[in-house]
Amino acid sequence: MRHLMSPLDFTVEELDKIFDLAGEIEKDPKRFAHVCDGKKLATCFYEPSTRTRLSFEAAMMNLGGNVIGFSEASSSSAAKGESVSDTIRVISCYADICAMRHPKEGAPMVAASKSLIPVINAGDGGHQHPTQTLTDLLTIRSLKGRLGGYTIGLCGDLKFGRTVHSLIRALLRYDNIHFVFISPEELKIPDYIIDELNEKNASYEEVIKLDDVMGKLDILYMTRVQRERFFNEEDYIRLKNFYILTKEKMLLAKPDMIVLHPLPRVNEISVEVDDDPRAAYFKQAQYGVYVRMALIMTLLNLEA
Ligand code: NCD
């Protein structure tokens, strides 16, 4: 039995298979409509979510399966003091696979160690978010045609943004990528990730101003300032509007640059950018459903 805790849990070859399967699903979704007949997905979300939870649920339903679960800790027995270990033991009796989001780093890992069914980390604190990374990689592969050989700018909250932490780890396995980290001083990429980049001899730079680097990017990955992970509101207010991607800024970008964002967006991308053909964040949300369908099939060893 396999779980998914970090994007590195799959080899590059295994990921390619998942992306190929997602591509087949995109082309002919009907062929997959009964693959999970009689199966259940449990979504155990101890932290708010729209896309991740609903895209998991939509993915399971598209495969013919059913969904059970909870969307906040207060409506689960966690409110009575139950541990995630006990919760997953019980969920193992009810469902075939579980997607878990938790504000504490490592909680899905603890659950996986006690679980009788595959557990998918759907985001743990500021740590990892592997299924968002699968979504991001599938989007890049589909829109750019390859997973290596470009300059990618990651902009915004690089300190607390788990999507960025997961994505960098995953991209470090592909060739010829230049990383441009764009953040205010207070939200710089954590040291442990810089250490990993140095160990792997990765090519990277850290800058504060987006305008200075816009022209050289092939991909711009925008992120939200993670309010819920700040220790004080004053810092959040000071930093929340540090970057706003506007039509004017898009004039500085290459004609084939793509803009990604895991969403939700707050102020960091002006809505006027949505009509730019380079804005790919809503397409990215659609790819998130295909890739989660492929992931569920892979972890449950199912074929169409
Ligand atoms: C991200 C998350 O939850 O980390 N959203 C998502 O899963 N699509 C990003 C965020 O909340 O800013």
Side-chain angles (χ1 to χ4, degrees):
M1 188 181 59
R2 285 185 81 165
H3 307 287
L4 176 64
M5 293 296 124
S6 140
L8 303 189
D9 292 350
F10 287 116
T11 64
V12 168
E13 292 73 29
E14 284 173 325
L15 285 182
D16 275 337
K17 276 199 187 143
I18 293 178
F19 300 145
D20 289 343
L21 179 56
E24 283 177 44
I25 293 170
E26 181 184 6
K27 266 190 238 130
D28 186 8
K30 280 207 190 88
R31 185 154 74 83
F32 298 84
H34 295 287
V35 172
C36 281
D37 277 358
K39 303 265 184 232
K40 282 190 221 73
L41 163 78
T43 50
C44 300
F45 276 59
Y46 296 82
E47 203 189 63
S49 164
T50 307
R51 259 148 304 276
T52 305
R53 186 170 59 82
L54 297 188
S55 65
F56 262 114
E57 297 186 355
M60 191 51 155
M61 288 175 184
N62 290 346
L63 294 168
N66 285 307
V67 177
I68 56 173
F70 53 87
S71 56
E72 49 188 316
S74 60
S75 62
S76 81
S77 285
K80 301 180 189 164
E82 188 178 49
S83 67
V84 285
S85 308
D86 279 6
T87 304
I88 196 69
R89 290 286 281 270
V90 173
I91 301 277
S92 295
C93 307
Y94 305 154
D96 301 280
I97 185 164
C98 169
M100 179 179 284
R101 168 169 289 193
H102 205 287
K104 279 206 191 116
E105 281 89 358
M109 180 92 91
V110 172
S113 70
K114 298 284 180 207
S115 178
L116 306 177
I117 57 173
V119 177
I120 299 166
N121 176 5
D124 60 330
H127 187 219
Q128 296 279 314
H129 192 347
T131 61
Q132 182 62 46
T133 298
L134 299 192
T135 303
D136 301 340
L137 294 179
L138 175 64
T139 309
I140 294 172
R141 195 179 93 146
S142 304
L143 301 182
K144 285 278 166 203
R146 60 188 190 280
L147 279 167
Y150 45 71
T151 295
I152 179 167
L154 298 121
C155 177
D157 187 346
L158 308 186
K159 179 177 181 186
F160 296 113
R162 57 192 170 198
T163 59
V164 167
H165 302 161
S166 273
L167 183 59
I168 295 169
R169 278 240 169 105
L171 288 178
L172 276 173
R173 300 196 292 187
Y174 299 96
D175 293 331
N176 297 323
I177 297 182
H178 178 63
F179 296 91
V180 184
F181 301 125
I182 309 146
S183 72
E185 197 58 41
E186 297 87 336
L187 298 177
K188 275 170 77 171
I189 203 99
D191 287 344
Y192 77 91
I193 296 189
I194 294 290
D195 291 345
E196 276 183 41
L197 288 152
N198 289 336
E199 260 166 46
K200 304 239 157 69
N201 276 324
S203 160
Y204 71 90
E205 63 190 293
E206 293 183 272
V207 301
I208 294 177
K209 281 185 73 185
L210 177 58
D211 290 13
D212 294 348
V213 292
M214 196 72 174
K216 65 172 158 186
L217 305 178
D218 300 300
I219 302 167
L220 172 59
Y221 193 96
M222 294 295 293
T223 62
R224 173 180 71 93
V225 175
Q226 306 274 303
R227 178 182 204 157
E228 65 278 32
R229 313 221 189 276
F230 272 72
F231 297 111
N232 73 67
E233 187 72 4
E234 257 169 52
D235 285 352
Y236 169 71
I237 290 168
R238 191 164 46 81
L239 294 168
K240 70 174 182 175
N241 290 331
F242 204 92
Y243 300 107
I244 301 181
L245 185 63
T246 56
K247 251 186 173 164
E248 289 70 45
K249 280 203 200 312
M250 288 298 283
L251 293 173
L252 305 171
K254 289 186 185 177
D256 63 346
M257 184 192 80
I258 54 170
V259 184
L260 303 181
H261 190 309
L263 303 176
R265 136 180 77 185
V266 187
N267 284 332
E268 59 280 1
I269 303 180
S270 160
V271 288
E272 66 194 20
V273 176
D274 298 356
D275 297 328
D276 190 305
R278 294 167 291 182
Y281 29 92
F282 293 118
K283 253 184 233 163
Q284 190 181 355
Q286 178 65 62
Y287 283 121
V289 179
Y290 301 137
V291 90
R292 288 184 174 94
M293 290 170 74
L295 175 67
I296 291 171
M297 286 180 62
T298 304
L299 292 178
L300 291 178
N301 284 315
L302 298 170
E303 280 173 20

